[in-house]
């Protein structure tokens, strides 16, 4: 490929989702609504997992970490995107772009590792339930989480350093954040080293956890097929189905966006897939885990009842537990107390 004219880049222009001015308020409203829903839903899931005594298990510790990752992922991207949507100036400095690239890749890769850890947790719980408490502990989950953070941080740092060594032939990114695919597309020469890194490190960091998840669910499927208890079967399906849906959403997006050569990149399609991965999936994840999981639904109900009881007026709360004859002597009925 012929080398294009190189430019000393100090900032990038993020073109966003659309260049049509009349669409910007609509995009702003839709993205803001989805962002608030994602943050609120995942925050609620973290509160439930941390506060409910019945959810103090390794599985829900990992689920709370996954929710924190979803909050971080959207927050790395969406606030800046909202500002650029209603602004004429859509520039981002070179250094901020590299920081955003590193943060996005680290947090996104961490989500993959957490899903693999959750698959292992489900595998032990279903295939070896008698030894579950001895094998899987909160301490083990904490060690897995910290080790995964170290791995993905080093991997993301390597990617970011290699991107800083590229020469760019312009500064307009056909995207709404600094992602590696539009940066490689903007490079003056074909970034062979970076592409090789994606297909080698990408396989190790992203695809390997996928095969681990796949293998775990093959074993889980065999175990479920031999279950004779209807209650155990329903519980296994309710916890695993939520996880499988999230895994399908995530890995489908990642494979489409990253595991292909730069010559086949379609940046318009990639932007649409990126919206699904960075905004829609984090928004849907709390719904999937809460609506298809009876334990989470029960914990949410208990949390809301606690909040409602705290908001009851003190003079009503004080009547609960008073003998009925004393209430009647004060002119209060049972309906008044219950209301």
């Amino acid at each position: 490929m012929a080398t294009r004219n190189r430019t000393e880049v100090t900032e990038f222009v993020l073109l966003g989702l659309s260049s049509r001015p009349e669409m910007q308020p609509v995009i702003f409203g839709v993205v803001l609504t989805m962002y608030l829903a994602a943050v609120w839903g995942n925050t609620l899931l973290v509160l439930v997992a941390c506060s409910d005594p019945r959810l103090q298990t390794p599985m829900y510790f990992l689920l709370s970490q996954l929710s924190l990752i979803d909050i971080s992922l959207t927050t790395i991207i969406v606030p800046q995107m909202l500002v650029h949507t209603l602004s004429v100036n859509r520039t981002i400095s070179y250094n901020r772009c590299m920081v955003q690239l590193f943060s996005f890749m680290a947090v996104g890769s961490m989500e993959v590792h957490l899903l693999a850890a959750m698959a292992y947790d489900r595998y032990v719980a279903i295939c070896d339930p008698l030894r579950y408490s001895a094998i899987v502990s909160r301490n083990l989950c904490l060690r897995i989480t910290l080790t995964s953070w170290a791995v993905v941080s080093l991997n993301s740092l390597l990617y970011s350093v290699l991107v800083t060594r590229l020469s760019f032939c312009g500064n307009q990114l056909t995207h709404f954040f600094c992602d590696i695919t539009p940066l490689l597309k903007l490079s003056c020469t074909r970034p062979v080293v970076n592409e090789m890194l994606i297909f080698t490190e990408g396989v190790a960091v992203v695809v390997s956890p996928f095969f681990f998840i796949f293998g775990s669910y093959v074993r889980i499927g065999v175990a479920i097929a031999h279950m004779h208890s209807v209650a155990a079967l329903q519980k296994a399906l309710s916890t695993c189905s939520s996880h499988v849906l999230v895994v399908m959403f995530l890995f489908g997006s990642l494979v489409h966006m990253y595991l292909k050569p730069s010559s086949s990149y379609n940046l318009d399609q990639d932007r649409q897939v990126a919206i699904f991965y960075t905004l829609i999936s984090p928004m849907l994840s709390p719904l999937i885990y809460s609506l298809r999981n009876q334990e989470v639904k029960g914990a949410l109900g208990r949390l809301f009842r606690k909040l409602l009881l705290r908001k009851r007026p003190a003079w009503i709360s004080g009547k609960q537990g008073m003998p009925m004859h004393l209430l009647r002597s004060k002119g209060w009925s049972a309906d008044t107390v219950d209301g």
Side-chain angles (χ1 to χ4, degrees):
M1 185 178 73
T3 304
R4 296 173 286 174
N5 293 329
R6 300 184 180 185
T7 305
E8 184 68 27
V9 174
T10 59
E11 63 183 16
F12 292 100
V13 178
L14 299 173
L15 300 182
L17 289 174
S18 174
S19 59
R20 296 167 58 185
E22 67 274 12
M23 290 297 299
Q24 303 311 311
V26 177
I27 293 173
F28 180 87
V30 172
V31 171
L32 178 61
T33 302
M34 295 172 68
Y35 173 65
L36 293 176
V39 172
W40 183 83
N42 282 286
T43 301
L44 186 61
L45 207 55
V46 171
L47 291 175
V48 167
C50 294
S51 63
D52 195 291
R54 302 183 192 183
L55 300 187
Q56 300 302 306
T57 63
M59 173 186 172
Y60 292 106
F61 169 78
L62 294 173
L63 181 58
S64 67
Q65 296 301 304
L66 185 66
S67 294
L68 290 174
I69 288 294
D70 283 338
I71 294 171
S72 302
L73 187 68
T74 55
T75 303
I76 288 168
I77 296 166
V78 175
Q80 174 193 266
M81 177 186 175
L82 291 172
V83 171
H84 285 177
T85 301
L86 298 182
S87 174
V88 177
N89 182 12
R90 297 186 176 185
T91 61
I92 179 173
S93 69
Y94 181 89
N95 290 336
R96 283 185 59 196
C97 184
M98 294 302 108
V99 170
Q100 187 181 58
L101 174 66
F102 169 80
S103 303
F104 169 74
M105 296 195 69
V107 172
S109 301
M110 186 62 194
E111 186 168 13
V112 175
H113 284 247
L114 280 175
L115 289 173
M118 292 174 72
Y120 176 72
D121 173 85
R122 290 299 84 204
Y123 161 73
V124 177
I126 294 172
C127 298
D128 198 0
L130 297 179
R131 298 177 57 213
Y132 175 78
S133 58
I135 298 174
V136 182
S137 64
R138 195 180 183 92
N139 189 35
L140 173 65
C141 293
L142 182 59
R143 291 202 303 270
I144 291 174
T145 302
L146 294 176
T147 303
S148 298
W149 269 119
V151 171
V152 301
S153 297
L154 290 173
N155 181 71
S156 301
L157 181 62
L158 180 59
Y159 273 100
S160 303
V161 169
L162 286 176
V163 170
T164 60
R165 298 175 67 86
L166 295 175
S167 298
F168 298 103
C169 297
N171 68 339
Q172 293 192 346
L173 291 178
T174 310
H175 218 309
F176 54 90
F177 69 99
C178 289
D179 196 8
I180 192 165
T181 51
L183 287 168
L184 294 181
K185 195 75 174 178
L186 201 61
S187 175
C188 294
T189 56
R190 184 176 179 182
V192 179
V193 175
N194 297 67
E195 289 185 3
M196 290 178 61
L197 184 66
I198 289 176
F199 282 100
T200 54
E201 288 289 308
V203 167
V205 175
V206 176
V207 181
S208 295
F210 171 76
F211 283 114
F212 180 84
I213 294 170
F214 181 78
S216 298
Y217 273 101
V218 169
R219 297 290 301 274
I220 289 172
V222 173
I224 288 177
H226 289 85
M227 283 184 177
H228 301 291
S229 170
V230 176
L233 178 62
Q234 289 177 342
K235 183 175 181 180
L237 291 176
S238 68
T239 56
C240 292
S241 59
S242 305
H243 186 252
V244 169
L245 283 174
V246 173
V247 168
M248 290 172 59
F249 287 155
L250 175 65
F251 281 96
S253 304
L254 291 179
V255 169
H256 178 85
M257 288 176 62
Y258 301 112
L259 297 182
K260 57 185 179 181
S262 61
S263 58
S264 63
Y265 290 153
N266 185 323
L267 295 180
D268 290 329
Q269 288 184 1
D270 287 350
R271 280 188 294 183
Q272 297 171 11
V273 176
I275 277 288
F276 184 86
Y277 169 55
T278 60
L279 197 55
I280 298 177
S281 183
M283 181 186 68
L284 293 179
S285 184
L287 292 175
I288 293 172
Y289 279 112
S290 59
L291 294 179
R292 300 187 64 87
N293 189 310
Q294 296 300 322
E295 291 179 338
V296 175
K297 288 170 68 174
L300 285 171
R302 290 189 291 273
L303 178 63
F304 285 131
R305 282 194 293 272
K306 281 183 181 179
L307 294 176
L308 289 175
L309 288 175
R310 287 179 181 178
K311 291 182 178 181
R312 289 178 72 93
W315 64 275
I316 292 180
S317 301
K319 293 183 290 181
Q320 305 288 341
M322 287 182 64
M324 187 56 65
H325 69 277
L326 291 178
L327 293 174
R328 287 174 179 163
S329 68
K330 295 177 178 291
W332 292 329
S333 66
D335 293 337
T336 304
V337 175
D338 294 336

